[in-house]
Amino acid sequence: MEGDVMDKVEATATVCDFDPISGSIPATKVEITVSCRNLLDRDTFSKSDPLLVLYTQGAECKQWREFGRTEVIDNTLNPDFIRKYILDYFFEEKQNLRFDVYDIDSKSPDLAKHDFLGQVHCTLGEIVGSPASRLEKPLGGIPGKKCGTIILSAEELGNCRDYATMQFCANKLDKKDFFGKSDPFMVFYRSNEDGTFTICHKTEVMKNTLHPVWQPFSIPVRALCNGDYERAIKAEVYDWDRDGSHDFIGEFTTSYKTLCRGQNQLNVHEVVNAKKKIKKKRYINSGTVSLLSFNVESEHTFLDYIKGGTQIHFTVAIDFTASNGNPSQSTSLHYMNPYQMNAYAMALKAVGEIIQDYDSDKMFPALGFGAKLPPDGRVSHEFPLNGNIENPYCNGMQGILDAYHQSLKTVQLYGPTNFAPVVNHVASYAAAVQDGSQYFVLLIITDGVISDMAQTKEAIVNAAKLPMSIIIVGVGQAEFDAMVELDGDDIRISSRGKLAERDIVQFVPFRDYMDRTGNHVLSMARLVKDVLAEIPDQLISYMKSRAIKPNPVPPPYSPVDQPQTNPV
């Protein structure tokens, strides 16, 4: 009896709520390969000896920092550099890069002592979002000179993206309950290099049985063994108790390598309770656990789809209701301050500047809602900001900002605040292209209280079946309770008894991201990091729900014959 009590104490210390892989998986890593063509020739008796330097820029500090240099390649104007750059990639951040090319004339590490051949600025998103993740840009930086071109290719580094799906059953487990059998569940742990164990999966509880068959479950292979296929995996079996003091039944160890053999005698494991074994001479085991099935699939990533040609289409919808205040007064959320952007413009620019890298034509529909339109004063909940019903597309971020400012001069702010029309507007486009080639992101910027909650919920539930996501940015000081409900992070949104198939809405109040010192660049970087963080997973969840695999990547770019490299 005393042993059982100790089992309970130990069990409560190890079995708890957990996230199997949180915090342990690094950012997506991207490898950048660089080539140049038709560089300037700075050497008199031979060709240039180029070297490339990459500089990166922090989100909070605009200072350029040297990230790394390639090798020097002797006597060529068309270098294909062997040394790669490996960068952490974040979809939700604007990661500015600068590539400088030099003709190396001596062994001095001081770049000022070498001839500058040109430079190019871009973002990591621009490279990744280009067709086949290959970006070609002209080099500049020397007035009046053609400096040639740079070719940047991005490749996601495989970080063991395999998922293992397995199913277990048990036989003749120990009976632990007075008035029934047992309510067994299993807990899996991966072993660490220091001999400790980290919990990585917990099965569901099977009620009142000594012969449970648990549901199949999927787990990243890296969470199970961290890439070491021989590493021990420990499984513990417990009898569930309502008060959380679960009874320990027994344990066994295996490895990923053994599990890969599938259903066979090697994967029938005796469940052993070491304390019972010491106390009872005739003790054999506390039952057996058998592997019923095991298979491994590679998980497709966001970058796989982008590289395969999936385009992200960005639509913006701006709240023109009267609660924003008169745009000509400084208290208005739409106030046109000649010296700084208002919150609407900041949110628009922050999100748009990142998403535009993933849309090849850079033409974006921009809509307004809740205003009276000229000439007859009718109220509209989906009007084009550029005034062109036939073609609501604006050219790039600046085009949207210009159309927004123009609209403020021509429409009358009114109401009510209806979201459903703009959600349905974008959904109609998404419904027409469900093959994975296009994904739609709607950005709604609003000052608050929604008037058509029931219709908006229905529109979102319907849109959750489509290739689209919705970002809502709240500006001003209003209460945003309704927006939190639409977000669906805690409780999945439903309409008329029907649950949304996926969580596609992300809401954030801009005021939570405003920098206290008035640094708007910092405010925008903080905002966009949060609002875009869920988009990659939402895109993947749609693709998985429709069993859409990424398109094969076009044939890789083949470099020209490579001259001798200098390892200096």
Side-chain angles (χ1 to χ4, degrees):
M1 184 68 192
E2 186 185 332
D4 284 349
V5 171
M6 285 308 295
D7 289 346
K8 286 193 176 197
V9 171
E10 287 177 13
T12 54
T14 54
V15 183
C16 56
D17 290 331
F18 70 98
D19 180 351
I21 50 177
S22 69
S24 64
I25 298 176
T28 298
K29 291 200 179 292
V30 170
E31 182 182 75
I32 304 294
T33 302
V34 188
S35 299
C36 297
R37 293 292 174 265
N38 304 315
L39 292 175
L40 279 174
D41 193 355
R42 292 288 198 181
D43 292 350
T44 312
F45 301 109
S46 64
K47 294 174 182 166
S48 293
D49 305 317
L51 165 138
L52 186 117
V53 187
L54 168 62
Y55 296 87
T56 58
Q57 196 178 46
E60 300 189 9
C61 136
K62 288 299 171 190
Q63 196 171 353
W64 289 104
R65 292 188 298 267
E66 183 176 324
F67 183 84
R69 303 181 183 190
T70 63
E71 74 282 12
V72 179
I73 300 185
D74 291 337
N75 196 29
T76 180
L77 305 181
N78 300 303
D80 295 308
F81 296 103
I82 294 170
R83 194 167 295 163
K84 320 281 190 195
Y85 295 110
I86 295 173
L87 298 166
D88 287 337
Y89 164 79
F90 301 96
F91 170 74
E92 65 274 15
E93 290 181 20
K94 187 179 183 188
Q95 296 174 267
N96 291 319
L97 307 176
R98 187 182 101 210
F99 295 89
D100 289 6
V101 188
Y102 287 88
D103 172 26
I104 301 303
D105 295 318
S106 68
K107 294 200 171 181
S108 170
D110 182 0
L111 293 171
K113 294 185 176 170
H114 304 283
D115 293 325
F116 178 66
L117 297 180
Q119 72 176 194
V120 76
H121 291 79
C122 66
T123 65
L124 185 52
E126 216 178 322
I127 304 172
V128 166
S130 298
S133 297
R134 179 178 177 273
L135 176 67
E136 193 166 328
K137 287 189 97 165
L139 287 159
I142 304 177
K145 295 271 190 184
K146 285 190 175 176
C147 300
T149 57
I150 190 168
I151 300 146
L152 303 162
S153 300
E155 183 74 40
E156 183 178 6
L157 292 180
N159 181 24
C160 187
R161 300 192 327 231
D162 291 348
Y163 264 67
T165 301
M166 60 194 92
Q167 183 178 21
F168 290 90
C169 68
N171 205 21
K172 296 183 180 175
L173 293 176
D174 283 355
K175 178 179 175 297
K176 289 284 188 179
D177 294 345
F178 286 118
F179 301 110
K181 295 173 183 174
S182 287
D183 304 320
F185 67 94
M186 288 175 71
V187 186
F188 291 84
Y189 302 83
R190 71 164 180 266
S191 58
N192 303 316
E193 289 179 7
D194 61 0
T196 59
F197 285 89
T198 300
I199 190 167
C200 60
H201 183 74
K202 187 162 59 175
T203 69
E204 75 282 10
V205 176
M206 301 299 293
K207 289 295 186 76
N208 198 29
T209 177
L210 303 180
H211 311 283
V213 179
W214 288 284
Q215 291 291 319
F217 65 89
S218 294
I219 183 169
V221 170
R222 62 179 179 269
L224 203 56
C225 65
N226 213 15
D228 180 355
Y229 295 171
E230 309 259 352
R231 190 176 291 196
I233 296 167
K234 181 170 75 169
E236 296 177 340
V237 185
Y238 289 90
D239 168 41
W240 178 84
D241 282 336
R242 187 179 299 279
D243 63 2
S245 59
H246 313 304
D247 297 313
F248 179 67
I249 294 175
E251 66 182 19
F252 64 89
T253 58
T254 181
S255 68
Y256 180 77
K257 187 177 178 182
T258 303
L259 291 171
C260 282
R261 294 171 179 258
Q263 186 181 21
N264 68 21
Q265 202 53 41
L266 283 170
N267 278 312
V268 178
H269 303 279
E270 288 191 69
V271 176
V272 176
N273 185 328
K275 290 180 180 172
K276 264 193 170 181
K277 193 172 184 178
I278 292 167
K279 287 198 304 190
K280 296 183 179 179
K281 287 183 180 177
R282 293 188 176 180
Y283 176 83
I284 299 171
N285 60 45
S286 295
T288 58
V289 167
S290 303
L291 178 68
L292 289 176
S293 63
F294 185 91
N295 70 300
V296 180
E297 283 187 356
S298 189
E299 182 83 338
H300 296 301
T301 67
F302 174 71
L303 290 188
D304 289 335
Y305 289 101
I306 297 300
K307 198 160 188 176
T310 297
Q311 291 280 300
I312 297 183
H313 295 290
F314 176 53
T315 301
V316 63
I318 293 177
D319 183 339
F320 280 82
T321 55
S323 52
N324 284 282
N326 185 337
S328 62
Q329 295 176 352
S330 61
T331 52
S332 170
L333 294 167
H334 281 305
Y335 179 58
M336 306 263 288
N337 185 330
Y339 302 108
Q340 68 178 53
M341 289 187 288
N342 63 32
Y344 277 91
M346 277 198 278
L348 187 55
K349 192 168 190 290
V351 176
E353 277 195 338
I354 286 179
I355 288 195
Q356 69 178 355
D357 285 341
Y358 301 87
D359 188 326
S360 57
D361 67 4
K362 309 285 186 275
M363 298 295 290
F364 308 109
L367 308 171
F369 58 91
K372 281 186 172 180
L373 306 187
D376 54 359
R378 68 182 176 85
V379 177
S380 173
H381 295 291
E382 49 169 317
F383 62 89
L385 295 189
N386 65 5
N388 186 343
I389 292 172
E390 300 299 317
N391 183 9
Y393 289 83
C394 300
N395 190 354
M397 269 309 93
Q398 196 53 50
I400 297 180
L401 288 167
D402 291 345
Y404 162 59
H405 291 143
Q406 193 56 41
S407 283
L408 285 173
K409 296 172 186 171
T410 55
V411 305
Q412 181 192 341
L413 273 55
Y414 200 66
T417 307
N418 291 354
F419 283 7
V422 291
V423 173
N424 289 330
H425 176 97
V426 175
S428 67
Y429 286 92
V433 195
Q434 298 189 49
D435 61 357
S437 64
Q438 297 175 40
Y439 194 85
F440 296 79
V441 176
L442 168 61
L443 169 64
I444 299 174
I445 313 176
T446 180
D447 76 329
V449 186
I450 184 169
S451 310
D452 64 340
M453 190 65 170
Q455 293 91 329
T456 297
K457 278 183 167 183
E458 186 172 6
I460 290 170
V461 169
N462 291 333
K465 300 194 285 277
L466 302 171
M468 72 179 277
S469 293
I470 300 167
I471 297 165
I472 304 172
V473 176
V475 296
Q477 301 304 315
E479 289 301 318
F480 291 114
D481 296 354
M483 305 302 157
V484 174
E485 186 181 343
L486 293 178
D487 191 314
D489 276 348
D490 299 322
I491 301 168
R492 184 68 59 86
I493 191 172
S494 63
S495 171
R496 302 187 187 188
K498 194 164 68 172
L499 274 175
E501 196 176 293
R502 302 182 296 127
D503 173 17
I504 64 166
V505 179
Q506 169 76 338
F507 165 73
V508 294
F510 198 178
R511 61 178 176 236
D512 291 359
Y513 299 87
M514 295 300 277
D515 179 60
R516 289 198 182 98
T517 64
N519 182 337
H520 294 310
V521 172
L522 190 51
S523 301
M524 288 159 69
R526 286 173 178 166
L527 170 80
V528 79
K529 197 171 163 64
D530 255 20
V531 297
L532 291 180
E534 292 184 14
I535 298 287
D537 283 344
Q538 289 176 358
L539 182 145
I540 290 167
S541 76
Y542 172 77
M543 301 298 187
K544 281 176 81 170
S545 71
R546 298 294 179 273
I548 297 170
K549 290 187 163 47
N551 286 329
V553 179
Y557 166 72
S558 54
V560 298
D561 290 340
Q562 184 62 52
Q564 180 65 40
T565 63
N566 178 350
V568 171

